[in-house]
C-alpha cells in the first residue's frame, strides 16, 4: 500500500440480517436490507476501483472481515475494524491510522450513498491540494464524505450525528480550529423508505443509474398493492382470483379486495386468506379506501372482469423504471372487429394523444403521486377519466405496457356489430357531456353497466 500517497477509506458495517439498514424495516425484510446494503457496496467499490488511490475498508460487525464481504472489493483492498466509542471517535481514529501510514491525503466516506462517482472522489483529492479538509454534503444536513491532509480531532468535535445540523456544526468546528475547507457536490443517502423512493425517482430521471446494482435492487423490491373493487361479482370472482392465486407467494405483492356491499354470493365465493375490505358502494370510494389501507409503493387498480399477463408485476416494474403512471393496453378475446376497433382507439389514440387511461386498462400509479393528485374523485361515473385529467394537468401522462390486459365485453353481450358500435359510441358522448359540465347524475343514468 501507500503507492499513490492517496487513500480511500470506506466506513461500513458488514451486512448482517437485523443489524444493517434497520431504519428501512419493516418496509424491507431483514434479508432485503442485507441485499440493499450489498448492492450499494458493489456500486461504491466499482467507483473506488477507477480512482488512483489505495482502498481501505474500515468495518464493524464480526472481528474479521468474512470472505464473502472481502470479495465485494478490488484485489489489494486492505481491511481493518472500527475502534472506539461513538461515531466521531471511530471516524477520527480511522483517518488517523491511515494518514499515519504516510499518506498525503485520505478520504473517508460511508456505504449509504450508492451514487458516488469516481469524479466525486477525484474532485475531493484536488480540493485537498489547496485546502486542509474537504466535505461532501448530503441532502439531509449531514455529510457523506470527509477528507483530511493531516490527522485532526476538530472535525469530530460534534455532539450528535443524527440531526440535520451535522454539516453546519462540523464546518463551524473545523473553521474554529483554523482549517480551510472545501466541498464537493451534494449527494443523497439511503437510510429510510422515503430515501429509497427518492432514489427510485432519481433513477427515472438519470438513465445512467439504471444499470447500477442499487437500482436493480430497488426495482426488484418495489412493492405493488393490487386493489380490486367488487360489487355483485359472483359469476366472475372465482375465476378471477384463481388466476391471481400463484402471485400470492410473492412478498412484494399485496392484494386488497374492496367490496361495496355486494348483495349476491360474491363474498361467499372468495376463498379464505384473501383480504376483503368492506366499504361504502361506489368504485371510487372503494378504491380510495383500499389505497389508504395499502402498503405498496405502487397502486394497481384491477377490475374483476380482467385477465392479467402471466408476468404482470414485471410489466408494471418496467414502466415504473421510467414513469410514475401507467396502464396496460386493453384487448378482448373475441374476433369481433368492433371490439378490436375499440381496443385500438383506447391504446393508440385516447392514451397517446389525449393521455387518458380508463379503469378497464388496469391503471397503476406511484403511491405518493396518487395521493398528491387527490385520489380518485368520488363520482358515480367517470372517476378514472377525471383522475387521468388531474394527472395530465400536473404534467403526468400514462405510459403503456408492452403486454395487454384482456377484459370482458360483458357490457356489449350478444349485440350485432351496428348495435355494438352505437353502444361503444355512447362512452365518448358521455365523456363529452362530462367535459361540458352536464350533471354527473344525469350522465350516470345513461351509462350501461351490466354486471
Amino acid at each position: 500500500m501507500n503507492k499513490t500517497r492517496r487513500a480511500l477509506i470506506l466506513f461500513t458495517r458488514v451486512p448482517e440480517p437485523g443489524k444493517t439498514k434497520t431504519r428501512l424495516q419493516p418496509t424491507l425484510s431483514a434479508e432485503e436490507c442485507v441485499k440493499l446494503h450489498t448492492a450499494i457496496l458493489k456500486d461504491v467499490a466499482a467507483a473506488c476501483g477507477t480512482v488512483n488511490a489505495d482502498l481501505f475498508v474500515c468495518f464493524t460487525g464480526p472481528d474479521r472481515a468474512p470472505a464473502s464481504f472481502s470479495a465485494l472489493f478490488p484485489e489489494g483492498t486492505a481491511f481493518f475494524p472500527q475502534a472506539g466509542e461513538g461515531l466521531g471517535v471511530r471516524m477520527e481514529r480511522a483517518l488517523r491510522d491511515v494518514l499515519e501510514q504516510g499518506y498525503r491525503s485520505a478520504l473517508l466516506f460511508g456505504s449509504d450513498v450508492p451514487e458516488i462517482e469516481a469524479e466525486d472522489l477525484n474532485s475531493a483529492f484536488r480540493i485537498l491540494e489547496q485546502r486542509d479538509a474537504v466535505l461532501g454534503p448530503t441532502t439531509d444536513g449531514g455529510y457523506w464524505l470527509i477528507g483530511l491532509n493531516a490527522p485532526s480531532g476538530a472535525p469530530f468535535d460534534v455532539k450528535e450525528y443524527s440531526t440535520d445540523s451535522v454539516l453546519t456544526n462540523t464546518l463551524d468546528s473545523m473553521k474554529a480550529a483554523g482549517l480551510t475547507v472545501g466541498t464537493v457536490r451534494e449527494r443523497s443517502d439511503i437510510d429510510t423508505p422515503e430515501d429509497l423512493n427518492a432514489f427510485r425517482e432519481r433513477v427515472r430521471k438519470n438513465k445512467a443509474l439504471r444499470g447500477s446494482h442499487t437500482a436493480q435492487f430497488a426495482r426488484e423490491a418495489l412493492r405493488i398493492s393490487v386493489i380490486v373493487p367488487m360489487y355483485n361479482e359472483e359469476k366472475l370472482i372465482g375465476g378471477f382470483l384463481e388466476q391471481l392465486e400463484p402471485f400470492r407467494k410473492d412478498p412484494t405483492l399485496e392484494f386488497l379486495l374492496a367490496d361495496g356491499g355486494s348483495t349476491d354470493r360474491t363474498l361467499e365465493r372468495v376463498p379464505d386468506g384473501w383480504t376483503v375490505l368492506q366499504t361504502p358502494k361506489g368504485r371510487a370510494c372503494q378504491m380510495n379506501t383500499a389505497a389508504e389501507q395499502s402498503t405498496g409503493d405502487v397502486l394497481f387498480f384491477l377490475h374483476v372482469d380482467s385477465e392479467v399477463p402471466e408476468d404482470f408485476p414485471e410489466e408494471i416494474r418496467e414502466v415504473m423504471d421510467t414513469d410514475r403512471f401507467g396502464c396496460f393496453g386493453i384487448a378482448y378475446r373475441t374476433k369481433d372487429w368492433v371490439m378490436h376497433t375499440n381496443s385500438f382507439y383506447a391504446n393508440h389514440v385516447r392514451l397517446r394523444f389525449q393521455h387518458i387511461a380508463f379503469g378497464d386498462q388496469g391503471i397503476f400509479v406511484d403511491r405518493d403521486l396518487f395521493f398528491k393528485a387527490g385520489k380518485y374523485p368520488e363520482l358515480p361515473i367517470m372517476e378514472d377519466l377525471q383522475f387521468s385529467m388531474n394527472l395530465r394537468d400536473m404534467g403526468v401522462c400514462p405510459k403503456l405496457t408492452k403486454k395487454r390486459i384482456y377484459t370482458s365485453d360483458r357490457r356489449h353481450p350478444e349485440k350485432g356489430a351496428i348495435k355494438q358500435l352505437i353502444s361503444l359510441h355512447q362512452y365518448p358522448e358521455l365523456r363529452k357531456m362530462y367535459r361540458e359540465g352536464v350533471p354527473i347524475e344525469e350522465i350516470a343514468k345513461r351509462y350501461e353497466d351490466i354486471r
Side-chain angles (χ1 to χ4, degrees):
M1 306 296 280
N2 197 6
K3 294 179 180 179
T4 65
R5 297 192 66 199
R6 303 196 311 182
L8 299 172
I9 307 171
L10 175 59
F11 207 71
T12 185
R13 169 180 289 279
V14 174
E16 295 178 286
K19 296 182 179 180
T20 187
K21 297 294 178 189
T22 54
R23 292 170 63 189
L24 280 156
Q25 294 178 248
T27 299
L28 299 182
S29 68
E31 290 73 20
E32 286 178 314
C33 288
V34 168
K35 290 181 180 179
L36 171 59
H37 190 176
T38 302
I40 297 176
L41 288 172
K42 288 180 179 179
D43 289 330
V44 173
C48 293
T50 61
V51 176
N52 186 25
D54 293 335
L55 177 60
F56 293 81
V57 175
C58 184
F59 65 92
T60 185
D63 293 335
R64 299 182 62 181
S68 58
F69 176 66
S70 302
L72 299 174
F73 303 96
E75 186 178 352
T77 300
F79 298 85
F80 66 102
Q82 295 178 21
E85 294 295 327
L87 178 59
V89 172
R90 297 199 303 271
M91 289 193 293
E92 178 188 357
R93 185 169 295 184
L95 277 164
R96 184 181 299 276
D97 289 347
V98 170
L99 286 168
E100 288 180 348
Q101 294 181 39
Y103 286 95
R104 182 176 59 195
S105 55
L107 306 177
L108 182 147
F109 45 93
S111 58
D112 297 328
V113 182
E115 295 155 85
I116 294 175
E117 296 179 3
E119 179 52 29
D120 295 325
L121 303 175
N122 286 325
S123 176
F125 279 126
R126 288 194 296 270
I127 289 173
L128 287 178
E129 292 174 2
Q130 306 293 328
R131 306 288 181 89
D132 300 318
V134 62
L135 287 171
T138 55
T139 54
D140 61 3
Y143 60 85
W144 65 269
L145 172 146
I146 183 168
L148 295 171
N149 290 325
S152 173
F156 309 104
D157 188 19
V158 176
K159 294 182 179 180
E160 294 185 47
Y161 281 89
S162 57
T163 69
D164 59 6
S165 59
V166 171
L167 178 66
T168 300
N169 294 340
T170 302
L171 282 169
D172 290 343
S173 179
M174 294 168 80
K175 291 177 180 178
L179 298 177
T180 56
V181 186
T183 58
V184 294
R185 61 179 159 181
E186 185 179 74
R187 288 295 190 184
S188 299
D189 47 21
I190 299 181
D191 287 322
T192 66
E194 294 75 20
D195 294 338
L196 182 57
N197 283 331
F199 173 76
R200 290 187 175 112
E201 184 60 24
R202 295 195 297 278
V203 171
R204 293 186 183 106
K205 297 177 180 178
N206 185 352
K207 188 176 181 180
L209 282 177
R210 294 174 200 162
S212 68
H213 295 283
T214 308
Q216 183 60 37
F217 169 84
R219 185 181 202 265
E220 294 172 354
L222 191 73
R223 266 48 177 176
I224 301 173
S225 293
V226 184
I227 295 173
V228 182
M230 304 187 306
Y231 181 75
N232 289 350
E233 298 286 4
E234 64 175 327
K235 294 180 181 179
L236 296 175
I237 192 64
F240 172 77
L241 294 180
E242 185 176 350
Q243 68 163 323
L244 296 179
E245 182 63 34
F247 296 100
R248 295 180 67 196
K249 300 176 183 178
D250 187 337
T252 66
L253 300 181
E254 172 186 58
F255 296 89
L256 300 174
L257 311 180
D259 184 70
S262 293
T263 58
D264 63 358
R265 299 177 61 195
T266 296
L267 297 180
E268 296 176 30
R269 298 193 175 184
V270 175
D272 292 340
W274 291 87
T275 300
V276 179
L277 306 176
Q278 294 294 334
T279 77
K281 183 184 177 184
R283 180 168 281 160
C285 177
Q286 291 168 238
M287 293 189 293
N288 288 341
T289 300
E292 290 164 358
Q293 298 189 39
S294 68
T295 61
D297 304 303
V298 176
L299 307 180
F300 176 33
F301 300 96
L302 185 62
H303 290 183
V304 173
D305 58 353
S306 296
E307 179 185 339
V308 294
E310 293 182 355
D311 58 348
F312 80 86
E314 181 63 22
E315 288 286 303
I316 292 174
R317 288 190 170 96
E318 186 169 342
V319 169
M320 298 305 288
D321 281 346
T322 57
D323 293 79
R324 301 179 71 192
F325 173 35
C327 68
F328 288 81
I330 194 171
Y332 300 96
R333 293 199 181 280
T334 177
K335 296 181 179 180
D336 192 313
W337 66 271
V338 176
M339 301 310 295
H340 287 294
T341 299
N342 179 56
S343 64
F344 179 85
Y345 175 80
N347 300 337
H348 301 290
V349 179
R350 186 178 68 208
L351 191 77
R352 180 173 297 180
F353 297 106
Q354 300 175 7
H355 307 302
I356 297 295
F358 275 13
D360 54 7
Q361 292 177 275
I363 288 173
F364 51 90
V365 60
D366 175 85
R367 178 189 189 84
D368 293 339
L369 179 61
F370 176 78
F371 288 104
K372 186 177 180 180
K375 304 181 289 188
Y376 281 106
E378 296 194 1
L379 306 170
I381 187 177
M382 301 291 179
E383 78 286 336
D384 45 6
L385 170 63
Q386 186 60 58
F387 180 68
S388 288
M389 291 169 60
N390 290 345
L391 286 176
R392 185 179 63 187
D393 290 344
M394 295 169 64
V396 181
C397 300
K399 183 176 180 180
L400 193 67
T401 59
K402 292 179 180 178
K403 295 186 179 179
R404 301 294 181 250
I405 192 171
Y406 286 89
T407 192
S408 167
D409 58 355
R410 62 179 174 174
R411 293 191 180 92
H412 319 284
E414 300 177 0
K415 292 184 178 181
I418 299 302
K419 288 186 176 180
Q420 285 191 44
L421 193 60
I422 293 172
S423 179
L424 288 169
H425 184 66
Q426 170 197 34
Y427 307 131
E429 286 297 314
L430 295 180
R431 293 197 296 273
K432 182 174 182 292
M433 292 170 61
Y434 179 73
R435 289 193 298 269
E436 291 176 348
V438 175
I440 194 66
E441 293 77 15
E442 180 178 337
I443 298 174
K445 290 178 182 178
R446 301 191 183 192
Y447 181 62
E448 293 184 47
D449 189 8
I450 300 171
R451 293 180 182 269

